[in-house]
Amino acid sequence: RADNALQQAKIAGRARTFVDVHSGAQNREMVDALPAGEFVVVYQPIVDLPTGAVIGAEALLRWTHPERGSIPPVEFIPLAEESGFILDLGRWVLQVACQEARDWDFTENPRISVNVSGRQLHDPNFVPDVRRILADTGLPPTRLVLEVTESMLEADAPVALAALETLRAEGVRIAIDDFGTGYSSLSRLDRLPVDILKIDRAFVTTLTPDTGVAPVITAIVALANALGMSTVAEGIEEPFQAAALIAHGCGAGQGWLYGRPGPAAQLAELAAVPPAAVAAECPQLAPAR
Ligand code: C2E
Ligand code: MG
Ligand code: MG
Ligand code: MG
């Protein structure tokens, strides 16, 4: 009977969503999951859009729970931020990603992008941790990109800004993730320690074969150019979206069209999606070559 009760509890547990479950117990489970090897880092290729060549990758966390299977980051990152566990988890991701990326040779100076949470940026150990990880792994700072969100760069976050300024002065690149979904003040953007604007998937999704244009994407690319920043588009699923982004002058991109997040070994094997294949989908937008 005890077995049966356990079985019932397991089924009930599986039916509930992860975040519904009591967060204290969940946090303990998450803390134990790190030494248990249940977290893995997967890598999504980032390509140079005009050539389709892989120029780097974004590290994305996955939690493979022994009973619930794969738990997506949107479900456990907020909890890890709330409890403070994100400090350990974030440091671990950075360590793993930098170590793995050091040996990549699919292109010259491949970049590794790592997502950083606000809690990490406010931790006094963050800058020394990044320096130590770079030194230990031997990854040149110029090959590391830290992805932050607009809300972390607000004027009332001087500690976070100072940390990014310090690392950027040492060669680390800074990207604003999901750009366009927050409330960045344009008057401050040119004074922020930022190199890359990542155009949120929501804008890429608005690109259709009929319209082929998206005013917000035009504006973000123009803004980036004016400020000496580069652009990376997120969530490119269709060739016509890639063609439209190339026509808009967007430099780089990532999405299922080019590759899903997966083991690092796939990065070297991915065949470039040639611009010709992309252009054929949307000839009216293809740049003159
Ligand atoms: P993000 O940084 O904006 O990452 C991009 C998300 O879009 C990833 O979701 C990726 O799998 C997904 N994606 C990429 N291409 C496509 C596409 O073509 N179509 C669609 N529909 N989706 C696409 P994922 O891996 O579930 O991560 C979600 C978010 O969780 C990330 O958004 C990031 O904010 C956060 N996250 C992931 N790993 C970490 C981490 O190590 N640390 C922190 N602090 N946050 C992380
Ligand atoms: Mg990101
Ligand atoms: Mg993003
Ligand atoms: Mg996003």
Side-chain angles (χ1 to χ4, degrees):
R1 204 181 306 142
D3 270 350
N4 198 32
L6 185 67
Q7 202 53 38
Q8 289 302 320
K10 275 186 183 168
I11 291 164
R14 219 174 292 146
R16 275 180 291 175
T17 69
F18 178 75
V19 281
D20 288 340
V21 187
H22 182 250
S23 66
Q26 286 303 332
N27 189 59
R28 234 176 355 262
E29 207 178 358
M30 189 165 53
V31 170
D32 293 340
L34 188 55
E38 294 171 20
F39 285 104
V40 290
V41 181
V42 289
Y43 301 88
Q44 181 174 40
I46 297 177
V47 306
D48 173 65
L49 287 174
T51 61
V54 181
I55 54 171
E58 177 173 4
L60 295 160
L61 252 178
R62 296 289 179 262
W63 179 4
T64 312
H65 190 280
E67 277 138 38
R68 283 191 291 271
S70 184
I71 301 172
V74 286
E75 294 195 28
F76 65 82
I77 295 282
L79 197 59
E81 282 173 345
E82 201 180 303
S83 72
F85 177 59
I86 193 71
L87 296 181
D88 291 330
L89 194 56
R91 191 186 310 110
W92 179 80
V93 172
L94 202 57
Q95 168 77 39
V96 169
C98 289
Q99 195 169 319
E100 198 140 25
R102 182 206 39 211
D103 300 325
W104 290 350
D105 59 1
F106 50 79
T107 185
E108 221 177 293
N109 299 318
R111 300 233 186 133
I112 175 69
S113 292
V114 181
N115 293 286
V116 172
S117 95
R119 274 298 274 266
Q120 288 174 274
L121 288 185
H122 283 90
D123 175 18
N125 292 319
F126 182 69
V127 171
D129 280 347
V130 173
R131 285 184 181 138
R132 182 184 47 76
I133 288 169
L134 289 171
D136 287 354
T137 59
L139 184 82
T142 51
R143 288 180 48 199
L144 176 63
V145 181
L146 299 178
E147 297 196 1
V148 302
T149 57
E150 287 166 84
S151 62
M152 296 180 209
L153 301 172
E154 276 159 19
D156 59 358
V159 176
L161 283 174
L164 293 176
E165 262 152 21
T166 301
L167 291 171
R168 188 164 178 255
E170 295 171 18
V172 175
R173 305 318 209 275
I174 313 296
I176 302 187
D177 209 349
D178 308 327
F179 187 78
T181 62
Y183 297 93
S184 283
S185 155
L186 294 186
S187 65
R188 291 186 63 246
L189 196 56
D190 68 340
R191 284 181 281 126
L192 290 176
V194 171
D195 306 279
I196 300 159
L197 300 181
K198 293 195 75 172
I199 302 172
D200 192 68
R201 185 165 70 90
F203 304 116
V204 175
T205 308
T206 66
L207 292 168
T208 68
D210 302 331
T211 64
V213 290
V216 177
I217 295 180
T218 310
I220 295 175
V221 172
L223 185 63
N225 286 340
L227 296 174
M229 299 173 185
S230 59
T231 45
V232 178
E234 302 184 311
I236 307 171
E237 296 181 1
E238 306 289 342
F240 65 79
Q241 292 171 334
L245 286 160
I246 293 167
H248 279 75
C250 181
Q254 64 191 93
W256 296 346
L257 174 67
Y258 298 101
R260 300 213 179 208
Q266 74 161 350
L267 297 171
E269 288 155 20
L270 283 166
V273 177
V278 162
E281 291 282 330
C282 211
Q284 72 276 26
L285 286 170
R289 295 183 64 85

mmCIF file of all heavy atoms in Angstrom, residues 71-92:
data_model
loop_
_atom_site.group_PDB
_atom_site.id
_atom_site.type_symbol
_atom_site.label_atom_id
_atom_site.label_comp_id
_atom_site.label_asym_id
_atom_site.label_seq_id
_atom_site.Cartn_x
_atom_site.Cartn_y
_atom_site.Cartn_z
ATOM 1 N N ILE A 71 13.222 20.168 -17.164
ATOM 2 C CA ILE A 71 12.518 21.341 -16.645
ATOM 3 C C ILE A 71 13.130 22.578 -17.303
ATOM 4 O O ILE A 71 14.338 22.795 -17.222
ATOM 5 C CB ILE A 71 12.649 21.439 -15.113
ATOM 6 C CG1 ILE A 71 12.081 20.167 -14.459
ATOM 7 C CG2 ILE A 71 11.945 22.677 -14.585
ATOM 8 C CD1 ILE A 71 12.338 20.069 -12.969
ATOM 9 N N PRO A 72 12.315 23.388 -18.009
ATOM 10 C CA PRO A 72 12.875 24.540 -18.732
ATOM 11 C C PRO A 72 13.323 25.660 -17.782
ATOM 12 O O PRO A 72 12.775 25.794 -16.685
ATOM 13 C CB PRO A 72 11.715 25.006 -19.615
ATOM 14 C CG PRO A 72 10.486 24.504 -18.952
ATOM 15 C CD PRO A 72 10.864 23.253 -18.202
ATOM 16 N N PRO A 73 14.303 26.462 -18.209
ATOM 17 C CA PRO A 73 14.826 27.525 -17.345
ATOM 18 C C PRO A 73 13.775 28.520 -16.869
ATOM 19 O O PRO A 73 13.894 29.028 -15.764
ATOM 20 C CB PRO A 73 15.894 28.212 -18.197
ATOM 21 C CG PRO A 73 15.852 27.582 -19.530
ATOM 22 C CD PRO A 73 15.036 26.356 -19.469
ATOM 23 N N VAL A 74 12.764 28.797 -17.672
ATOM 24 C CA VAL A 74 11.736 29.758 -17.217
ATOM 25 C C VAL A 74 11.073 29.290 -15.928
ATOM 26 O O VAL A 74 10.524 30.088 -15.185
ATOM 27 C CB VAL A 74 10.622 30.022 -18.273
ATOM 28 C CG1 VAL A 74 11.152 30.891 -19.384
ATOM 29 C CG2 VAL A 74 10.014 28.744 -18.814
ATOM 30 N N GLU A 75 11.125 27.980 -15.668
ATOM 31 C CA GLU A 75 10.498 27.470 -14.448
ATOM 32 C C GLU A 75 11.421 27.475 -13.247
ATOM 33 O O GLU A 75 10.969 27.640 -12.131
ATOM 34 C CB GLU A 75 9.951 26.055 -14.683
ATOM 35 C CG GLU A 75 8.810 26.048 -15.666
ATOM 36 C CD GLU A 75 8.024 24.752 -15.650
ATOM 37 O OE1 GLU A 75 7.988 24.087 -14.602
ATOM 38 O OE2 GLU A 75 7.461 24.406 -16.695
ATOM 39 N N PHE A 76 12.734 27.269 -13.455
ATOM 40 C CA PHE A 76 13.586 27.202 -12.264
ATOM 41 C C PHE A 76 14.484 28.422 -12.049
ATOM 42 O O PHE A 76 14.903 28.683 -10.926
ATOM 43 C CB PHE A 76 14.423 25.906 -12.239
ATOM 44 C CG PHE A 76 15.440 25.761 -13.343
ATOM 45 C CD1 PHE A 76 16.680 26.372 -13.230
ATOM 46 C CD2 PHE A 76 15.164 25.008 -14.473
ATOM 47 C CE1 PHE A 76 17.621 26.233 -14.233
ATOM 48 C CE2 PHE A 76 16.103 24.874 -15.478
ATOM 49 C CZ PHE A 76 17.335 25.484 -15.356
ATOM 50 N N ILE A 77 14.767 29.208 -13.084
ATOM 51 C CA ILE A 77 15.620 30.393 -12.889
ATOM 52 C C ILE A 77 14.980 31.394 -11.914
ATOM 53 O O ILE A 77 15.652 31.873 -10.995
ATOM 54 C CB ILE A 77 15.967 31.086 -14.244
ATOM 55 C CG1 ILE A 77 16.837 30.168 -15.127
ATOM 56 C CG2 ILE A 77 16.658 32.424 -14.017
ATOM 57 C CD1 ILE A 77 18.295 30.077 -14.768
ATOM 58 N N PRO A 78 13.669 31.713 -12.072
ATOM 59 C CA PRO A 78 13.073 32.661 -11.117
ATOM 60 C C PRO A 78 13.201 32.187 -9.667
ATOM 61 O O PRO A 78 13.476 32.978 -8.769
ATOM 62 C CB PRO A 78 11.597 32.715 -11.539
ATOM 63 C CG PRO A 78 11.606 32.325 -12.980
ATOM 64 C CD PRO A 78 12.709 31.305 -13.118
ATOM 65 N N LEU A 79 13.027 30.883 -9.457
ATOM 66 C CA LEU A 79 13.145 30.311 -8.120
ATOM 67 C C LEU A 79 14.585 30.409 -7.609
ATOM 68 O O LEU A 79 14.826 30.755 -6.449
ATOM 69 C CB LEU A 79 12.703 28.851 -8.185
ATOM 70 C CG LEU A 79 12.367 28.156 -6.877
ATOM 71 C CD1 LEU A 79 11.249 28.878 -6.161
ATOM 72 C CD2 LEU A 79 11.963 26.708 -7.165
ATOM 73 N N ALA A 80 15.530 30.142 -8.498
ATOM 74 C CA ALA A 80 16.948 30.220 -8.123
ATOM 75 C C ALA A 80 17.330 31.666 -7.806
ATOM 76 O O ALA A 80 18.157 31.916 -6.928
ATOM 77 C CB ALA A 80 17.820 29.673 -9.248
ATOM 78 N N GLU A 81 16.703 32.624 -8.506
ATOM 79 C CA GLU A 81 16.975 34.035 -8.228
ATOM 80 C C GLU A 81 16.413 34.422 -6.878
ATOM 81 O O GLU A 81 17.057 35.109 -6.088
ATOM 82 C CB GLU A 81 16.377 34.915 -9.340
ATOM 83 C CG GLU A 81 17.245 34.893 -10.591
ATOM 84 C CD GLU A 81 16.625 35.604 -11.785
ATOM 85 O OE1 GLU A 81 15.405 35.882 -11.765
ATOM 86 O OE2 GLU A 81 17.368 35.854 -12.746
ATOM 87 N N GLU A 82 15.219 33.937 -6.604
ATOM 88 C CA GLU A 82 14.546 34.256 -5.349
ATOM 89 C C GLU A 82 15.345 33.727 -4.155
ATOM 90 O O GLU A 82 15.504 34.422 -3.153
ATOM 91 C CB GLU A 82 13.164 33.603 -5.390
ATOM 92 C CG GLU A 82 12.141 34.197 -4.461
ATOM 93 C CD GLU A 82 10.827 33.451 -4.614
ATOM 94 O OE1 GLU A 82 10.301 33.385 -5.752
ATOM 95 O OE2 GLU A 82 10.357 32.909 -3.612
ATOM 96 N N SER A 83 15.845 32.525 -4.261
ATOM 97 C CA SER A 83 16.531 31.903 -3.125
ATOM 98 C C SER A 83 18.002 32.312 -3.011
ATOM 99 O O SER A 83 18.632 32.109 -1.987
ATOM 100 C CB SER A 83 16.448 30.385 -3.240
ATOM 101 O OG SER A 83 17.297 29.930 -4.274
ATOM 102 N N GLY A 84 18.556 32.852 -4.107
ATOM 103 C CA GLY A 84 19.967 33.204 -4.097
ATOM 104 C C GLY A 84 20.856 32.095 -4.660
ATOM 105 O O GLY A 84 22.051 32.292 -4.873
ATOM 106 N N PHE A 85 20.254 30.927 -4.912
ATOM 107 C CA PHE A 85 21.014 29.804 -5.475
ATOM 108 C C PHE A 85 21.588 30.151 -6.856
ATOM 109 O O PHE A 85 22.562 29.550 -7.315
ATOM 110 C CB PHE A 85 20.112 28.559 -5.543
ATOM 111 C CG PHE A 85 20.759 27.365 -6.167
ATOM 112 C CD1 PHE A 85 21.923 26.825 -5.626
ATOM 113 C CD2 PHE A 85 20.216 26.774 -7.300
ATOM 114 C CE1 PHE A 85 22.527 25.715 -6.206
ATOM 115 C CE2 PHE A 85 20.812 25.667 -7.886
ATOM 116 C CZ PHE A 85 21.968 25.141 -7.341
ATOM 117 N N ILE A 86 20.996 31.146 -7.509
ATOM 118 C CA ILE A 86 21.479 31.560 -8.830
ATOM 119 C C ILE A 86 22.951 31.956 -8.782
ATOM 120 O O ILE A 86 23.663 31.857 -9.791
ATOM 121 C CB ILE A 86 20.623 32.722 -9.401
ATOM 122 C CG1 ILE A 86 20.909 32.960 -10.894
ATOM 123 C CG2 ILE A 86 20.840 34.025 -8.624
ATOM 124 C CD1 ILE A 86 20.402 31.909 -11.819
ATOM 125 N N LEU A 87 23.441 32.394 -7.598
ATOM 126 C CA LEU A 87 24.854 32.769 -7.501
ATOM 127 C C LEU A 87 25.748 31.563 -7.756
ATOM 128 O O LEU A 87 26.716 31.633 -8.510
ATOM 129 C CB LEU A 87 25.160 33.393 -6.135
ATOM 130 C CG LEU A 87 24.455 34.725 -5.825
ATOM 131 C CD1 LEU A 87 24.867 35.237 -4.458
ATOM 132 C CD2 LEU A 87 24.751 35.761 -6.900
ATOM 133 N N ASP A 88 25.402 30.425 -7.148
ATOM 134 C CA ASP A 88 26.182 29.192 -7.357
ATOM 135 C C ASP A 88 25.954 28.643 -8.767
ATOM 136 O O ASP A 88 26.895 28.250 -9.452
ATOM 137 C CB ASP A 88 25.763 28.110 -6.350
ATOM 138 C CG ASP A 88 26.188 28.471 -4.932
ATOM 139 O OD1 ASP A 88 27.219 29.161 -4.796
ATOM 140 O OD2 ASP A 88 25.491 28.084 -3.987
ATOM 141 N N LEU A 89 24.681 28.626 -9.157
ATOM 142 C CA LEU A 89 24.326 28.067 -10.451
ATOM 143 C C LEU A 89 24.938 28.886 -11.589
ATOM 144 O O LEU A 89 25.511 28.338 -12.540
ATOM 145 C CB LEU A 89 22.791 28.034 -10.571
ATOM 146 C CG LEU A 89 22.172 27.214 -11.687
ATOM 147 C CD1 LEU A 89 22.638 25.758 -11.627
ATOM 148 C CD2 LEU A 89 20.638 27.277 -11.604
ATOM 149 N N GLY A 90 24.846 30.209 -11.468
ATOM 150 C CA GLY A 90 25.377 31.100 -12.495
ATOM 151 C C GLY A 90 26.893 30.988 -12.634
ATOM 152 O O GLY A 90 27.431 31.007 -13.740
ATOM 153 N N ARG A 91 27.581 30.850 -11.491
ATOM 154 C CA ARG A 91 29.034 30.697 -11.504
ATOM 155 C C ARG A 91 29.411 29.374 -12.167
ATOM 156 O O ARG A 91 30.355 29.287 -12.948
ATOM 157 C CB ARG A 91 29.572 30.738 -10.066
ATOM 158 C CG ARG A 91 31.091 30.857 -9.976
ATOM 159 C CD ARG A 91 31.606 30.758 -8.539
ATOM 160 N NE ARG A 91 30.907 31.630 -7.606
ATOM 161 C CZ ARG A 91 30.083 31.212 -6.646
ATOM 162 N NH1 ARG A 91 29.852 29.932 -6.462
ATOM 163 N NH2 ARG A 91 29.486 32.076 -5.859
ATOM 164 N N TRP A 92 28.621 28.338 -11.891
ATOM 165 C CA TRP A 92 28.867 27.022 -12.479
ATOM 166 C C TRP A 92 28.696 27.066 -14.016
ATOM 167 O O TRP A 92 29.529 26.548 -14.756
ATOM 168 C CB TRP A 92 27.925 25.985 -11.844
ATOM 169 C CG TRP A 92 28.079 24.611 -12.404
ATOM 170 C CD1 TRP A 92 29.040 23.693 -12.082
ATOM 171 C CD2 TRP A 92 27.260 24.011 -13.415
ATOM 172 N NE1 TRP A 92 28.864 22.554 -12.825
ATOM 173 C CE2 TRP A 92 27.784 22.708 -13.656
ATOM 174 C CE3 TRP A 92 26.137 24.433 -14.134
ATOM 175 C CZ2 TRP A 92 27.226 21.835 -14.584
ATOM 176 C CZ3 TRP A 92 25.579 23.568 -15.056
ATOM 177 C CH2 TRP A 92 26.125 22.288 -15.277
#
